[in-house]
Amino acid sequence: MAINDIPLFSALKSRMSWLQARQTVLAENVANATTPGFEARAIADFKLPHQAEIAAPGRLVPVRTNPAHLGGGGLGGSTSWGTDDTETFETSPSGNSVVLEEEMMKVAETQLDYQIATGLYARGVGLLKTALGRRA
């Protein structure tokens, strides 16, 4: 059994890959902050991989029986990320829509999320090593 067959590690790997792609887009936005006519880009929100929505044997999946109820299990998605189509309201006279303050806040948030994901991944590997008896 490969480590990526474990749903936790698969989800963390997908999340870290998404965070890496987001950081790349944010870096391009910051690099083009003074380019006339440049429109800031954003990456679509992260969704768990398709494996996460598959119910395990014997697991109940909630069903919406009334339109007023919240739906259950909307976790699906894919590992390819598109761009976010939200429009920005702030545009400079040169046509540039990059707001450096917002982009840097997103960069810091992405860095923190990546550190959390790598920490969880490392802890999970440590737990596996302990379970296998390979750690003192």
Side-chain angles (χ1 to χ4, degrees):
M1 175 188 243
I3 197 166
N4 287 332
D5 292 340
I6 300 171
L8 171 69
F9 291 111
S10 176
L12 284 172
K13 181 179 175 185
S14 296
R15 175 74 174 171
M16 289 189 295
S17 178
W18 178 83
L19 288 167
Q20 180 180 1
R22 183 180 190 210
Q23 195 77 332
T24 301
V25 170
L26 292 172
E28 290 173 2
N29 287 348
V30 171
N32 290 300
T34 58
T35 304
F38 182 80
E39 291 185 22
R41 295 184 357 203
I43 196 164
D45 289 337
F46 175 76
K47 295 186 181 178
L48 288 174
H50 181 66
Q51 295 175 0
E53 76 179 33
I54 298 172
R59 180 176 164 207
L60 296 176
V61 179
V63 177
R64 183 186 294 189
T65 57
N66 184 327
H69 294 164
L70 294 175
L75 300 174
S78 67
T79 55
S80 61
W81 302 286
T83 57
D84 189 6
D85 295 334
T86 56
E87 296 284 329
T88 58
F89 293 106
E90 189 172 333
T91 303
S92 69
S94 67
N96 190 311
S97 66
V98 176
V99 180
L100 279 175
E101 293 83 6
E102 290 178 7
E103 297 299 314
M104 296 310 292
M105 296 260 306
K106 290 177 187 176
V107 166
E109 176 186 340
T110 303
Q111 180 183 5
L112 182 60
D113 287 349
Y114 194 85
Q115 288 174 348
I116 290 169
T118 55
L120 286 172
Y121 198 91
R123 296 275 178 147
V125 169
L127 285 173
L128 285 178
K129 286 181 179 180
T130 301
L132 294 174
R134 296 188 182 176
R135 177 187 274 182

